[in-house]
Amino acid sequence: MEKTKEILFRSSGIGALATDKRGAVITDKQLEQIDYLNGKVRSGKSLTQNQKDELAILKAKRDAPIEMSDTAKTFVEDVWLLNEKGYYRQLDTKYTDKGIFGEEDAISLLTEVDGIFYEKNTERIIKNHISGECDINTIIEKIKTVEDTKCSWDPRTFMNATLDPLYEYQGRSYMYLYDAEQFWLRYCLIDAPAHIVAKEKDRLWYKFYSNSMDDKTAQQLEEKLKPMFDQIDRNLVFSTSGKYTPQERVKTFKVERDDQLFKEKILDRIPAAIDYYKTITLNQIC
């Protein structure tokens, strides 16, 4: 009999569990209303029937079991497909390729900018059904810090980069796994690998080139495209252009550890995620 695989949720996607089902989570205003109505009762004042009904409804909502959002369910289904069927939807794009091939360059850039020698972390931690491997695990000014690098595609995507909730909870899970106090999300504007630059130029070339062209016509086409080829270099290569300093090619977001928030948003929701996982079938009707 095949041994049951352990259910593990990767840090890179675990932020999906933190999303709330629409209307299922009680709001701060509703909690204040519960306190107000309970206060009236404690002071000996009578509640109207409408207030009694409201208090009962709000208490039921407050005490209801956690309901998974559609986003969280989709995440758990993807984990199930990988774990049980070996299926993983590979995002094979030029953007993900740059991130894969540029990881070492990003860490080298951070070493230069921070004046701290960083090494790529290779230790994966598994704890309480969470699995994660941060890029950098270090101590900065006596503070245990975990870092994750993101290789932006170009200057525009770098400028627009933010700390979105998925990255935030990826970092919070790293702090939990590595027992760190801070998480640094490091966006790095590094050069695209040479093969990616060449592929961008090839894509442009074959947009206009035809096998029916003679050598002279092809040479004329190359001359016409040269300004566009040069623009590709300017858009994707930064370290040798003389227009970018190393410091401005790094954008950092820092997140402080918050055990209570992580417990409420992630740890308390893992049991529900596991329960849902166990109900999944390939031919389920959604």
Side-chain angles (χ1 to χ4, degrees), residues 55-269:
L55 182 58
I57 292 171
L58 290 177
K59 283 184 175 180
K61 187 174 185 180
R62 180 196 62 191
D63 301 333
I66 295 172
E67 292 188 62
M68 296 181 65
S69 67
D70 291 340
T71 300
K73 288 182 177 179
T74 298
F75 167 64
V76 176
E77 289 163 6
D78 287 340
V79 173
W80 184 90
L81 282 168
L82 175 61
N83 211 29
E84 305 297 334
K85 304 299 181 184
Y87 169 80
Y88 176 72
R89 184 170 53 187
Q90 182 68 42
L91 298 177
D92 185 14
T93 70
K94 59 187 181 182
Y95 310 110
T96 55
D97 285 350
K98 182 177 181 181
I100 293 170
F101 288 100
E103 187 176 63
E104 290 184 5
D105 288 342
I107 292 176
S108 294
L109 177 61
L110 294 177
T111 291
E112 179 182 1
V113 170
D114 294 354
I116 300 172
F117 178 69
Y118 293 125
E119 289 185 292
K120 173 71 174 76
N121 171 61
T122 58
E123 180 188 20
R124 175 169 292 275
I125 303 293
I126 297 174
K127 183 179 177 181
N128 195 16
H129 296 281
I130 301 174
S131 171
E133 183 178 317
C134 65
D135 287 338
I136 297 171
N137 179 21
T138 189
I139 296 176
I140 300 176
E141 296 180 351
K142 298 182 180 181
I143 298 174
K144 193 168 183 181
T145 304
V146 286
E147 304 184 29
D148 194 62
T149 61
K150 305 293 181 185
C151 298
S152 299
W153 173 250
D154 60 21
R156 169 50 66 186
T157 56
F158 178 76
M159 288 183 70
N160 291 346
T162 62
L163 176 67
D164 67 29
L166 199 63
Y167 290 160
E168 177 188 344
Y169 280 97
Q170 179 180 7
R172 292 193 181 282
S173 70
Y174 286 155
M175 286 188 280
Y176 170 73
L177 292 173
Y178 291 87
D179 194 26
E181 294 303 315
Q182 282 189 352
F183 166 67
W184 292 13
L185 176 63
R186 317 298 299 271
Y187 284 100
C188 298
L189 187 61
I190 60 168
D191 297 345
H195 74 276
I196 290 181
V197 175
K199 187 175 291 187
E200 288 297 293
K201 292 180 180 179
D202 285 346
R203 184 179 291 113
L204 179 62
W205 170 257
Y206 286 108
K207 180 179 179 181
F208 300 99
Y209 175 76
S210 169
N211 289 331
S212 63
M213 288 182 178
D214 56 29
D215 291 345
K216 182 179 180 180
T217 304
Q219 185 176 359
Q220 290 173 341
L221 174 61
E222 186 172 0
E223 291 173 357
K224 288 181 180 179
L225 292 179
K226 186 178 185 307
M228 298 183 192
F229 289 154
D230 291 342
Q231 188 62 55
I232 288 174
D233 286 329
R234 287 192 291 271
N235 288 352
L236 298 179
V237 180
F238 318 104
S239 63
T240 58
S241 70
K243 295 181 179 294
Y244 301 86
T245 66
Q247 288 73 21
E248 68 179 336
R249 291 194 290 125
V250 174
K251 178 188 285 191
T252 303
F253 294 92
K254 298 182 181 181
V255 179
E256 299 289 336
R257 181 168 176 164
D258 186 332
D259 289 342
Q260 184 60 33
L261 176 64
F262 190 70
K263 178 181 181 298
E264 292 176 358
K265 287 293 189 177
I266 301 296
L267 296 181
D268 287 352
R269 301 183 180 203

